[in-house]
Amino acid sequence: MIWQVEALRYGTRAGGRTRSDSFLFDDHADTPHAIDYFVWLLRSGDRTILVDTGYDAEEGRARGRPIDLDPREALSRRGVAVEDVEDVIVTHLHYDHAGGLHLFPGARLHLQPAEMAYATGPCMCHDALRHPFTGAHVCEAVTRLYAGKVVFHEGAGQIADGVEVHRIGGHSKGLQCVRVRTEAGWLVLASDATHFYENVHAGKLFPIVVDAEAMLRGFDTLRALASAPDLIVPGHDPLVRDLFPEVGPEAWRLDRGPSKPVPGL
Ligand SMILES: [Zn+2]
Ligand SMILES: [Zn+2]
């Protein structure tokens, strides 16, 4: 199957954010650096798969990071109702990716066992490691597990014909990227395996890291999985909105590749 892929932006954070929040050991650490927040929509025939759920307004208030758009509204603008989403690939359990699991109560979740173990185990005793997680989101994943609605993929797995997940270490313990067969070739939704183009293409570590070596090896894995380097789509880069064609308000079509050259390639 060939899939159509869209990035839907639900938030942006610019004020007070600098390159030191995006890159370790950077020469221009004080330069402002904005971050975008996306969910990704995969469609083929009558199948719809959502990659990550974003987070809701309440989580935004709790973290002082307001969203611009409820993730459900982002989907409804693309003609997708909550009930249409039967499968959610959860790339990892950080608040900005799993903070909307409760918004899709009927969906089956696709997760790596290593992520569930990490988010519910002794590492979460440390403030520094726990910070990107919110207990209620992790509990929602556990509740879904007990409802028989979690599918675990160990390492590599297939969600549908042409949609695969691959575990990449470094940023969290059980992060998975999503590899999708498209008109342009194998497209890789990196999620937080590379937040920005610069992380993967310049080999720069993101500061939220549990294993630096694994993160760097992950950059090689992304390159190996994508049919071309410009088919690696970073999880949080505002450049995505500039490089890919806009197909609606806050929606960019990814599956035909970028319409401009990716800087730094
Ligand atoms: Zn993350
Ligand atoms: Zn993230």
Side-chain angles (χ1 to χ4, degrees), residues 28-43:
H28 308 280
D30 297 332
T31 305
H33 201 250
I35 187 166
D36 273 358
Y37 294 86
F38 298 100
V39 298
W40 299 272
L41 177 61
L42 314 182
R43 286 189 279 196

Side-chain angles (χ1 to χ4, degrees), residues 219-232:
F219 296 154
D220 295 332
T221 304
L222 292 174
R223 273 189 287 273
L225 291 172
S227 290
D230 67 355
L231 294 179
I232 299 169

